[in-house]
Amino acid sequence: MKILQVYRSEPNNDVKTLVQILNRDRESDEFHLNVENPDYDVLISKIFSADKTVCWW
Amino acid sequence: MVLCWTNAASTLYYKGYNKMESLKVYILIANRMCNDGIRSGLGLAVENHYAFPIIMNGEFPSFSTYMSENIAWVKDMEGQVYSCGAPAPDNCVDEEGNKLIAEISLEELGEAMRDADFIIPYGLPKQTNEPPAACAE
């Protein structure tokens, strides 16, 4: 199970806690959309290589 | 697996899943405007999925009879509306006076979501400014 965490803004403590639990004992990756010029090609690639994606606020 | 959804979770489309399979979906609602998220959960429930709308901000509107019925309906369909990190409100009860919204801690929620098929952080994030008085209710 590979899980991808996508962040639309800087994660708060609640999100960090949930992500920590969700990622436990799993292969995980992340992508930040709250940066200047996010590389959407990389995002698409990561989504296709992950089994599950969560897009946080 | 590829997935996409429109603004309403009830119009969730997916590939890689048998369409007859009941999915377990958690809808995380951080903003005080929680009704749409709960209604989306109800939409999934009537499509035979397990829906768990989670109100995460501890702020509850005055629940209309209509919304209370919606929340009871989610429960009848083997889903559950939760309040995470705050006591469930007293103004959302069934005909016997039992609270319709259950309480769940952040850690319990995280553990429960490990089994989820979909996790949908729904709508807007928690607002940082107080709403105008006209929108406070």
Side-chain angles (χ1 to χ4, degrees), chain B residues 8-101:
Chain B
S10 56
T11 53
L12 182 69
Y13 298 99
Y14 50 87
K15 293 180 180 177
Y17 281 90
N18 182 337
K19 276 200 158 188
M20 298 304 290
E21 184 182 353
S22 291
L23 303 173
K24 191 181 283 188
V25 183
Y26 286 78
I27 301 172
L28 310 181
I29 308 163
N31 193 273
R32 60 186 290 275
M33 305 302 289
C34 63
N35 288 357
D36 284 353
I38 293 171
R39 287 278 302 165
S40 293
L42 177 57
L44 290 171
V46 297
E47 289 291 330
N48 227 16
H49 300 298
Y50 300 104
F52 302 96
I54 317 290
I55 303 170
M56 299 189 70
N57 61 358
E59 297 174 18
F60 303 98
S62 52
F63 289 95
S64 64
T65 304
Y66 173 74
M67 269 316 291
S68 295
E69 286 174 355
N70 283 178
I71 292 168
W73 198 0
V74 170
K75 196 172 182 177
D76 288 345
M77 302 294 284
E78 300 182 44
Q80 177 66 57
V81 178
Y82 286 105
S83 170
C84 179
D90 297 323
N91 61 347
C92 185
V93 294
D94 62 15
E95 291 169 352
E96 287 81 39
N98 300 315
K99 287 185 179 182
L100 288 169
I101 298 177

Coordinates of all heavy atoms in Angstrom, one line a residue, chain B residues 8-101:
Chain B
A8 N -19.5 17.7 -5.3 CA -20.3 16.9 -4.5 C -19.8 15.5 -4.5 O -19.6 14.9 -5.5 CB -21.8 16.9 -5.1
A9 N -19.5 15.0 -3.3 CA -19.0 13.7 -3.2 C -19.9 12.6 -3.7 O -19.6 11.5 -4.0 CB -18.6 13.4 -1.7
S10 N -21.2 13.0 -3.7 CA -22.2 12.0 -4.2 C -22.1 11.7 -5.6 O -22.6 10.8 -6.1 CB -23.6 12.5 -3.8 OG -23.8 13.8 -4.4
T11 N -21.3 12.5 -6.4 CA -21.1 12.3 -7.8 C -19.7 11.7 -7.9 O -18.9 12.2 -8.8 CB -21.3 13.5 -8.6 OG1 -20.5 14.6 -8.1 CG2 -22.7 13.9 -8.6
L12 N -19.3 10.9 -7.0 CA -17.9 10.3 -7.1 C -17.9 9.2 -8.2 O -18.7 8.4 -8.3 CB -17.7 9.6 -5.7 CG -16.4 9.0 -5.4 CD1 -15.3 10.0 -5.3 CD2 -16.5 8.2 -4.1
Y13 N -16.9 9.4 -9.0 CA -16.7 8.4 -10.1 C -15.3 7.7 -9.8 O -14.4 8.3 -9.4 CB -16.7 9.0 -11.4 CG -18.0 9.7 -11.8 CD1 -18.1 11.0 -11.6 CD2 -19.0 8.9 -12.2 CE1 -19.3 11.6 -11.9 CE2 -20.2 9.5 -12.5 CZ -20.4 10.9 -12.4 OH -21.6 11.5 -12.7
Y14 N -15.3 6.4 -10.1 CA -14.0 5.8 -9.8 C -13.8 4.7 -10.9 O -14.7 4.1 -11.5 CB -14.0 5.2 -8.4 CG -15.2 4.4 -8.1 CD1 -15.3 3.1 -8.4 CD2 -16.4 5.0 -7.6 CE1 -16.4 2.3 -8.1 CE2 -17.5 4.3 -7.3 CZ -17.5 3.0 -7.6 OH -18.7 2.2 -7.3
K15 N -12.5 4.3 -11.0 CA -12.1 3.2 -11.8 C -11.3 2.3 -10.9 O -10.7 2.7 -9.9 CB -11.2 3.6 -13.0 CG -11.9 4.5 -14.0 CD -11.0 4.9 -15.1 CE -11.7 5.7 -16.1 NZ -10.8 6.2 -17.2
G16 N -11.3 1.0 -11.2 CA -10.6 0.1 -10.4 C -11.4 -0.5 -9.3 O -10.9 -1.3 -8.5
Y17 N -12.6 -0.1 -9.1 CA -13.5 -0.6 -8.1 C -14.7 -1.2 -8.8 O -15.2 -0.6 -9.8 CB -14.0 0.5 -7.2 CG -13.0 0.8 -6.1 CD1 -12.0 1.8 -6.3 CD2 -13.0 0.1 -4.9 CE1 -11.1 2.1 -5.4 CE2 -12.0 0.4 -3.9 CZ -11.1 1.4 -4.2 OH -10.2 1.7 -3.2
N18 N -15.2 -2.3 -8.3 CA -16.5 -2.8 -8.8 C -17.6 -1.9 -8.4 O -17.7 -1.5 -7.2 CB -16.7 -4.2 -8.1 CG -18.0 -4.9 -8.6 OD1 -18.9 -4.2 -9.1 ND2 -18.0 -6.2 -8.5
K19 N -18.4 -1.5 -9.3 CA -19.4 -0.5 -9.0 C -20.4 -1.0 -8.0 O -21.1 -0.2 -7.4 CB -20.1 -0.1 -10.3 CG -19.4 1.0 -11.1 CD -20.3 1.7 -12.0 CE -19.8 3.0 -12.4 NZ -20.7 3.8 -13.2
M20 N -20.5 -2.3 -7.8 CA -21.4 -2.8 -6.8 C -20.8 -2.8 -5.4 O -21.5 -3.1 -4.4 CB -21.9 -4.2 -7.2 CG -22.6 -4.3 -8.5 SD -24.1 -3.2 -8.5 CE -25.1 -4.0 -7.4
E21 N -19.5 -2.6 -5.3 CA -18.8 -2.6 -4.0 C -19.2 -1.4 -3.2 O -19.2 -0.3 -3.6 CB -17.3 -2.7 -4.3 CG -16.5 -2.8 -3.0 CD -15.0 -2.8 -3.4 OE1 -14.6 -2.8 -4.5 OE2 -14.2 -2.8 -2.4
S22 N -19.5 -1.7 -1.9 CA -19.7 -0.6 -1.0 C -18.4 0.0 -0.5 O -17.6 -0.8 0.1 CB -20.6 -1.1 0.2 OG -21.9 -1.4 -0.3
L23 N -18.2 1.2 -0.7 CA -17.0 1.9 -0.3 C -17.1 2.5 1.1 O -18.2 3.0 1.5 CB -16.6 2.9 -1.3 CG -16.4 2.4 -2.7 CD1 -16.2 3.6 -3.7 CD2 -15.3 1.4 -2.8
K24 N -16.0 2.6 1.8 CA -16.0 3.3 3.1 C -15.4 4.7 2.9 O -14.2 4.8 2.5 CB -15.2 2.4 4.1 CG -15.4 2.9 5.5 CD -14.5 2.0 6.5 CE -15.2 0.7 6.7 NZ -14.4 0.0 7.8
V25 N -16.2 5.7 3.1 CA -15.8 7.1 2.7 C -15.8 8.0 4.0 O -16.9 8.1 4.6 CB -16.6 7.7 1.6 CG1 -16.1 9.0 1.2 CG2 -16.6 6.7 0.4
Y26 N -14.7 8.6 4.3 CA -14.7 9.6 5.4 C -14.7 11.0 4.8 O -13.8 11.3 4.0 CB -13.5 9.4 6.3 CG -13.6 8.2 7.2 CD1 -13.4 6.9 6.7 CD2 -14.0 8.3 8.5 CE1 -13.6 5.8 7.5 CE2 -14.2 7.2 9.3 CZ -14.0 5.9 8.8 OH -14.1 4.8 9.6
I27 N -15.6 11.8 5.2 CA -15.7 13.2 4.7 C -15.3 14.1 5.9 O -16.1 14.2 6.8 CB -17.1 13.5 4.2 CG1 -17.4 12.5 3.0 CG2 -17.2 14.9 3.7 CD1 -18.9 12.6 2.6
L28 N -14.2 14.7 5.8 CA -13.7 15.6 6.9 C -14.1 17.0 6.6 O -13.8 17.6 5.6 CB -12.2 15.5 7.0 CG -11.6 14.1 7.0 CD1 -10.0 14.1 7.1 CD2 -12.2 13.2 8.1
I29 N -14.8 17.6 7.6 CA -15.4 18.9 7.4 C -14.8 19.8 8.5 O -15.1 19.7 9.7 CB -16.9 18.9 7.6 CG1 -17.5 17.8 6.7 CG2 -17.5 20.2 7.3 CD1 -19.0 17.4 7.0
A30 N -13.9 20.7 8.1 CA -13.2 21.6 9.0 C -13.9 22.9 9.2 O -13.8 23.6 10.2 CB -11.8 21.8 8.6
N31 N -14.6 23.3 8.1 CA -15.3 24.7 8.2 C -16.6 24.6 8.8 O -17.2 23.5 8.8 CB -15.4 25.2 6.7 CG -15.8 26.6 6.7 OD1 -16.9 27.0 6.7 ND2 -14.8 27.5 6.6
R32 N -17.1 25.7 9.4 CA -18.3 25.6 10.1 C -19.5 25.3 9.2 O -20.6 24.9 9.7 CB -18.6 27.0 10.8 CG -18.6 28.2 9.9 CD -18.7 29.5 10.7 NE -20.0 29.6 11.4 CZ -21.0 30.1 10.8 NH1 -20.9 30.5 9.5 NH2 -22.1 30.3 11.4
M33 N -19.4 25.5 7.9 CA -20.4 25.2 7.0 C -20.4 23.7 6.7 O -19.9 23.2 5.7 CB -20.3 26.0 5.7 CG -20.1 27.5 5.9 SD -21.5 28.2 6.8 CE -22.8 28.1 5.5
C34 N -21.1 23.0 7.6 CA -20.9 21.5 7.6 C -22.1 20.8 6.8 O -22.0 19.6 6.5 CB -20.8 20.9 9.0 SG -22.3 21.2 10.0
N35 N -23.2 21.5 6.5 CA -24.3 20.9 6.0 C -24.1 20.2 4.6 O -24.6 19.1 4.4 CB -25.5 21.9 5.9 CG -26.1 22.2 7.2 OD1 -25.6 21.7 8.2 ND2 -27.0 23.2 7.2
D36 N -23.4 20.9 3.8 CA -23.1 20.3 2.4 C -22.3 19.0 2.6 O -22.6 18.0 1.8 CB -22.3 21.3 1.6 CG -23.2 22.4 1.0 OD1 -24.4 22.4 1.2 OD2 -22.6 23.4 0.5
G37 N -21.4 19.0 3.5 CA -20.6 17.8 3.6 C -21.4 16.6 4.1 O -21.3 15.5 3.7
I38 N -22.3 16.9 5.1 CA -23.2 15.9 5.6 C -24.1 15.4 4.5 O -24.4 14.2 4.4 CB -24.0 16.4 6.8 CG1 -23.0 16.6 8.0 CG2 -25.0 15.4 7.3 CD1 -23.6 17.4 9.2
R39 N -24.6 16.3 3.7 CA -25.5 15.9 2.6 C -24.8 15.1 1.6 O -25.4 14.2 1.0 CB -26.1 17.2 2.0 CG -27.1 17.9 2.8 CD -28.5 17.3 2.7 NE -29.0 17.3 1.3 CZ -30.0 16.6 0.9 NH1 -30.6 15.8 1.7 NH2 -30.3 16.6 -0.4
S40 N -23.5 15.4 1.4 CA -22.8 14.6 0.4 C -22.6 13.1 1.0 O -22.7 12.2 0.2 CB -21.4 15.2 0.2 OG -21.5 16.4 -0.5
G41 N -22.4 13.0 2.3 CA -22.3 11.7 2.9 C -23.6 11.0 2.8 O -23.7 9.8 2.5
L42 N -24.7 11.7 2.9 CA -26.1 11.1 2.7 C -26.2 10.6 1.3 O -26.7 9.5 1.1 CB -27.2 12.0 3.1 CG -28.6 11.5 2.9 CD1 -28.9 10.3 3.7 CD2 -29.6 12.6 3.3
G43 N -25.7 11.4 0.4 CA -25.8 11.0 -1.0 C -25.1 9.7 -1.3 O -25.5 8.8 -2.0
L44 N -23.9 9.5 -0.7 CA -23.1 8.3 -0.8 C -23.9 7.1 -0.1 O -23.9 6.0 -0.6 CB -21.7 8.4 -0.2 CG -20.8 9.3 -0.9 CD1 -19.5 9.6 -0.1 CD2 -20.4 8.7 -2.3
A45 N -24.5 7.4 1.1 CA -25.2 6.4 1.8 C -26.3 5.8 1.0 O -26.5 4.6 1.0 CB -25.7 6.9 3.2
V46 N -27.1 6.6 0.4 CA -28.2 6.1 -0.4 C -27.7 5.4 -1.7 O -28.5 4.7 -2.3 CB -29.2 7.2 -0.8 CG1 -29.8 7.8 0.5 CG2 -28.6 8.3 -1.6
E47 N -26.5 5.6 -2.0 CA -25.9 4.8 -3.1 C -25.2 3.6 -2.6 O -24.4 2.9 -3.3 CB -24.8 5.7 -3.9 CG -25.4 6.8 -4.7 CD -26.2 6.3 -5.9 OE1 -25.9 5.2 -6.4 OE2 -27.2 6.9 -6.3
N48 N -25.5 3.2 -1.3 CA -25.1 2.0 -0.8 C -23.6 2.0 -0.3 O -22.9 0.9 -0.3 CB -25.3 0.8 -1.7 CG -26.0 -0.4 -1.0 OD1 -26.5 -0.2 0.1 ND2 -25.9 -1.5 -1.5
H49 N -23.1 3.2 0.0 CA -21.7 3.2 0.5 C -21.8 3.6 2.0 O -22.8 4.0 2.5 CB -20.9 4.3 -0.2 CG -20.8 4.0 -1.7 ND1 -20.1 2.9 -2.2 CD2 -21.2 4.7 -2.8 CE1 -20.2 3.0 -3.5 NE2 -20.8 4.0 -3.9
Y50 N -20.7 3.3 2.7 CA -20.6 3.6 4.1 C -20.0 5.0 4.2 O -18.9 5.3 3.9 CB -19.7 2.6 4.8 CG -20.2 1.2 4.7 CD1 -19.7 0.3 3.9 CD2 -21.4 0.8 5.5 CE1 -20.1 -1.0 3.8 CE2 -21.8 -0.5 5.4 CZ -21.2 -1.4 4.5 OH -21.7 -2.7 4.4
A51 N -20.8 6.0 4.7 CA -20.4 7.4 4.8 C -20.2 7.8 6.2 O -21.0 7.5 7.1 CB -21.4 8.3 4.1
F52 N -19.1 8.5 6.4 CA -18.8 9.0 7.8 C -18.4 10.4 7.7 O -17.2 10.8 7.6 CB -17.6 8.1 8.4 CG -17.9 6.7 8.5 CD1 -17.5 5.8 7.5 CD2 -18.7 6.2 9.5 CE1 -17.8 4.5 7.6 CE2 -19.0 4.8 9.6 CZ -18.6 4.0 8.6
P53 N -19.3 11.3 7.7 CA -19.0 12.8 7.8 C -18.4 13.1 9.2 O -19.0 12.7 10.2 CB -20.3 13.5 7.5 CG -21.2 12.4 6.9 CD -20.8 11.1 7.5
I54 N -17.3 13.8 9.2 CA -16.7 14.2 10.5 C -16.6 15.7 10.6 O -16.0 16.4 9.8 CB -15.2 13.7 10.5 CG1 -15.1 12.2 9.9 CG2 -14.6 13.8 11.9 CD1 -15.6 11.2 10.8
I55 N -17.3 16.2 11.6 CA -17.3 17.6 11.9 C -16.1 17.9 12.8 O -16.0 17.4 13.9 CB -18.6 18.1 12.5 CG1 -19.8 17.8 11.6 CG2 -18.5 19.6 12.8 CD1 -21.1 18.0 12.3
M56 N -15.1 18.6 12.3 CA -13.8 18.7 13.0 C -13.5 20.0 13.7 O -12.5 20.2 14.3 CB -12.6 18.5 12.0 CG -12.7 17.1 11.3 SD -11.3 16.7 10.3 CE -10.1 16.5 11.6
N57 N -14.4 20.9 13.6 CA -14.1 22.3 14.2 C -14.8 22.5 15.5 O -14.6 23.5 16.1 CB -14.4 23.4 13.2 CG -15.9 23.4 12.8 OD1 -16.7 22.6 13.3 ND2 -16.3 24.4 12.0
G58 N -15.7 21.6 15.9 CA -16.4 21.8 17.2 C -17.4 23.0 17.2 O -17.8 23.4 18.2
E59 N -17.7 23.4 16.0 CA -18.7 24.5 15.9 C -19.9 23.9 15.2 O -19.8 23.4 14.1 CB -18.1 25.7 15.1 CG -16.9 26.3 15.8 CD -16.3 27.4 14.9 OE1 -17.0 27.9 14.0 OE2 -15.1 27.7 15.1
F60 N -21.1 24.1 15.8 CA -22.3 23.5 15.3 C -23.3 24.5 15.1 O -23.6 25.4 16.0 CB -22.8 22.4 16.2 CG -21.8 21.4 16.5 CD1 -21.0 21.4 17.7 CD2 -21.5 20.3 15.6 CE1 -20.1 20.5 17.9 CE2 -20.6 19.4 15.9 CZ -19.9 19.4 17.1
P61 N -24.0 24.5 13.9 CA -25.1 25.4 13.7 C -26.3 24.9 14.4 O -26.3 23.8 15.0 CB -25.3 25.3 12.2 CG -24.9 23.9 11.9 CD -23.7 23.6 12.8
S62 N -27.3 25.7 14.4 CA -28.6 25.2 15.0 C -29.2 24.2 14.0 O -29.5 24.6 12.8 CB -29.5 26.4 15.3 OG -29.7 27.1 14.1
F63 N -29.3 23.0 14.4 CA -29.7 22.0 13.4 C -31.2 22.1 13.2 O -32.0 22.0 14.1 CB -29.4 20.6 13.9 CG -27.9 20.3 13.9 CD1 -27.1 20.5 15.0 CD2 -27.3 19.8 12.7 CE1 -25.8 20.2 15.0 CE2 -25.9 19.6 12.7 CZ -25.2 19.8 13.8
S64 N -31.6 22.1 11.9 CA -33.0 22.1 11.6 C -33.5 20.7 11.7 O -32.7 19.7 11.7 CB -33.2 22.6 10.2 OG -32.6 21.8 9.2
T65 N -34.8 20.5 11.7 CA -35.4 19.2 11.7 C -34.9 18.4 10.5 O -34.6 17.2 10.5 CB -36.9 19.2 11.7 OG1 -37.3 20.0 12.9 CG2 -37.6 17.9 11.8
Y66 N -34.9 19.1 9.4 CA -34.5 18.6 8.1 C -33.0 18.0 8.2 O -32.8 16.8 7.8 CB -34.5 19.6 7.0 CG -34.0 19.2 5.7 CD1 -34.7 18.3 4.9 CD2 -32.7 19.7 5.2 CE1 -34.2 18.0 3.6 CE2 -32.2 19.3 4.0 CZ -32.9 18.5 3.2 OH -32.4 18.1 2.0
M67 N -32.1 18.8 8.8 CA -30.7 18.3 8.9 C -30.6 17.1 9.9 O -29.9 16.2 9.7 CB -29.8 19.4 9.3 CG -29.2 20.2 8.2 SD -28.5 19.2 6.8 CE -27.2 18.4 7.6
S68 N -31.4 17.2 11.0 CA -31.4 16.1 12.0 C -31.9 14.8 11.3 O -31.3 13.8 11.6 CB -32.3 16.5 13.2 OG -31.7 17.6 13.9
E69 N -32.9 15.0 10.5 CA -33.4 13.8 9.7 C -32.3 13.2 8.8 O -32.1 12.0 8.6 CB -34.6 14.1 9.0 CG -35.9 14.3 9.9 CD -37.1 14.8 9.2 OE1 -37.0 15.1 8.0 OE2 -38.2 14.9 9.8
N70 N -31.6 14.2 8.1 CA -30.5 13.7 7.3 C -29.4 12.9 8.0 O -29.0 11.9 7.6 CB -29.8 14.9 6.6 CG -30.7 15.5 5.5 OD1 -30.3 16.5 4.9 ND2 -31.8 14.9 5.2
I71 N -29.1 13.5 9.2 CA -28.1 12.8 10.0 C -28.6 11.4 10.5 O -27.8 10.5 10.5 CB -27.7 13.7 11.2 CG1 -26.9 15.0 10.6 CG2 -26.8 13.0 12.2 CD1 -26.7 16.1 11.6
A72 N -29.8 11.4 10.9 CA -30.4 10.1 11.3 C -30.4 9.1 10.2 O -30.2 7.9 10.3 CB -31.8 10.3 11.8
W73 N -30.7 9.6 9.0 CA -30.7 8.8 7.8 C -29.3 8.2 7.5 O -29.2 7.0 7.2 CB -31.2 9.6 6.6 CG -31.7 8.8 5.4 CD1 -31.8 7.4 5.3 CD2 -32.3 9.3 4.2 NE1 -32.3 7.1 4.1 CE2 -32.6 8.2 3.4 CE3 -32.5 10.6 3.7 CZ2 -33.2 8.3 2.1 CZ3 -33.0 10.7 2.5 CH2 -33.3 9.6 1.7
V74 N -28.3 9.0 7.6 CA -26.9 8.5 7.5 C -26.7 7.3 8.4 O -26.1 6.3 8.1 CB -25.9 9.6 7.7 CG1 -24.5 9.0 7.7 CG2 -26.0 10.6 6.6
K75 N -27.2 7.5 9.7 CA -27.0 6.5 10.7 C -27.8 5.2 10.3 O -27.3 4.1 10.5 CB -27.4 7.0 12.0 CG -27.0 6.3 13.2 CD -27.3 7.0 14.5 CE -26.8 6.3 15.7 NZ -27.1 7.1 17.0
D76 N -29.0 5.4 9.8 CA -29.8 4.2 9.4 C -29.1 3.5 8.3 O -29.4 2.2 8.2 CB -31.2 4.7 9.0 CG -32.1 5.2 10.1 OD1 -31.7 4.9 11.3 OD2 -33.1 5.9 9.8
M77 N -28.4 4.1 7.5 CA -27.7 3.5 6.4 C -26.3 3.0 6.8 O -25.4 2.8 5.9 CB -27.6 4.5 5.2 CG -28.9 5.1 4.7 SD -30.0 3.8 4.0 CE -29.2 3.6 2.4
E78 N -26.1 2.7 8.0 CA -24.9 2.2 8.6 C -23.7 3.1 8.5 O -22.5 2.6 8.5 CB -24.6 0.8 8.0 CG -25.7 -0.2 8.2 CD -25.3 -1.6 7.6 OE1 -24.2 -2.0 7.8 OE2 -26.2 -2.2 7.0
G79 N -23.9 4.4 8.3 CA -22.8 5.4 8.4 C -22.9 6.0 9.8 O -23.7 5.6 10.7
Q80 N -22.2 7.1 10.0 CA -22.3 7.8 11.2 C -21.7 9.2 11.0 O -20.6 9.4 10.4 CB -21.5 7.1 12.3 CG -21.5 7.8 13.7 CD -22.8 7.9 14.3 OE1 -23.5 6.9 14.6 NE2 -23.3 9.1 14.6
V81 N -22.4 10.2 11.6 CA -21.8 11.6 11.6 C -21.1 11.7 13.0 O -21.6 11.4 14.0 CB -22.9 12.6 11.5 CG1 -22.3 14.0 11.6 CG2 -23.6 12.5 10.2
Y82 N -19.8 12.1 12.9 CA -19.0 12.2 14.1 C -18.6 13.7 14.4 O -18.5 14.5 13.5 CB -17.7 11.5 14.0 CG -17.8 10.0 14.0 CD1 -17.7 9.2 12.9 CD2 -18.0 9.3 15.3 CE1 -17.8 7.8 13.0 CE2 -18.0 8.0 15.3 CZ -18.0 7.2 14.2 OH -18.0 5.8 14.3
S83 N -18.4 14.0 15.6 CA -17.7 15.2 16.0 C -16.3 14.8 16.5 O -16.2 14.0 17.4 CB -18.5 15.9 17.2 OG -17.7 17.0 17.7
C84 N -15.3 15.4 15.9 CA -14.0 15.1 16.3 C -13.4 16.1 17.2 O -13.2 17.3 16.8 CB -13.1 14.9 15.1 SG -11.4 14.5 15.4
G85 N -13.0 15.8 18.4 CA -12.3 16.7 19.3 C -13.2 17.7 20.0 O -12.7 18.6 20.7
A86 N -14.5 17.5 20.0 CA -15.4 18.4 20.7 C -16.6 17.6 21.1 O -17.0 16.6 20.3 CB -15.8 19.6 19.8
P87 N -17.3 17.9 22.2 CA -18.5 17.2 22.5 C -19.6 17.4 21.5 O -19.7 18.4 20.8 CB -18.9 17.9 23.8 CG -17.7 18.6 24.3 CD -16.9 19.0 23.1
A88 N -20.3 16.3 21.3 CA -21.4 16.3 20.3 C -22.5 17.3 20.8 O -22.7 17.4 22.0 CB -22.0 14.9 20.1
P89 N -23.1 18.0 19.9 CA -24.1 19.0 20.3 C -25.4 18.3 20.9 O -25.7 17.2 20.5 CB -24.4 19.7 19.0 CG -24.1 18.7 17.9 CD -23.0 17.9 18.4
D90 N -26.0 19.0 21.8 CA -27.2 18.5 22.4 C -28.5 18.8 21.6 O -29.5 18.3 21.9 CB -27.4 19.2 23.8 CG -26.3 18.8 24.8 OD1 -25.8 17.7 24.7 OD2 -25.8 19.7 25.5
N91 N -28.3 19.6 20.6 CA -29.5 20.1 19.8 C -29.7 19.2 18.5 O -30.4 19.7 17.7 CB -29.4 21.6 19.4 CG -28.1 21.8 18.6 OD1 -27.3 21.0 18.4 ND2 -28.1 23.0 18.0
C92 N -29.1 18.1 18.5 CA -29.3 17.2 17.3 C -29.6 15.8 17.9 O -28.6 15.0 18.1 CB -28.0 17.2 16.4 SG -28.3 16.3 14.9
V93 N -30.8 15.5 18.1 CA -31.2 14.3 18.8 C -32.3 13.6 18.0 O -33.0 14.2 17.2 CB -31.7 14.5 20.2 CG1 -30.6 15.1 21.1 CG2 -32.9 15.5 20.2
D94 N -32.4 12.3 18.3 CA -33.5 11.5 17.6 C -34.8 11.7 18.4 O -34.9 12.4 19.4 CB -33.1 10.1 17.4 CG -32.9 9.4 18.7 OD1 -33.3 9.9 19.8 OD2 -32.3 8.3 18.7
E95 N -35.8 10.9 18.0 CA -37.1 11.1 18.7 C -37.1 10.7 20.2 O -37.9 11.1 21.0 CB -38.2 10.2 17.9 CG -38.5 10.8 16.5 CD -39.3 9.8 15.7 OE1 -39.5 8.7 16.2 OE2 -39.7 10.2 14.6
E96 N -36.2 9.8 20.5 CA -36.0 9.4 21.9 C -35.1 10.3 22.7 O -34.9 10.1 23.9 CB -35.5 7.9 22.0 CG -36.5 6.9 21.6 CD -36.6 6.7 20.1 OE1 -35.6 6.7 19.4 OE2 -37.7 6.5 19.7
G97 N -34.6 11.3 22.1 CA -33.7 12.2 22.7 C -32.2 11.8 22.8 O -31.4 12.5 23.4
N98 N -31.9 10.8 22.0 CA -30.5 10.3 22.0 C -29.7 11.2 21.0 O -30.2 11.5 19.9 CB -30.4 8.9 21.6 CG -31.1 8.0 22.6 OD1 -31.0 8.1 23.8 ND2 -31.9 7.0 22.0
K99 N -28.5 11.5 21.3 CA -27.6 12.3 20.4 C -27.4 11.5 19.1 O -27.1 10.3 19.1 CB -26.3 12.6 21.0 CG -26.4 13.6 22.1 CD -25.0 14.0 22.6 CE -25.0 15.1 23.7 NZ -23.7 15.4 24.2
L100 N -27.6 12.2 18.0 CA -27.4 11.6 16.7 C -25.9 11.6 16.2 O -25.5 10.8 15.4 CB -28.2 12.3 15.6 CG -29.8 12.0 15.7 CD1 -30.5 13.0 14.8 CD2 -30.1 10.6 15.3
I101 N -25.2 12.6 16.7 CA -23.8 12.8 16.4 C -22.9 12.1 17.4 O -23.0 12.4 18.6 CB -23.4 14.3 16.2 CG1 -24.3 14.9 15.1 CG2 -22.0 14.4 15.9 CD1 -24.1 16.3 14.9

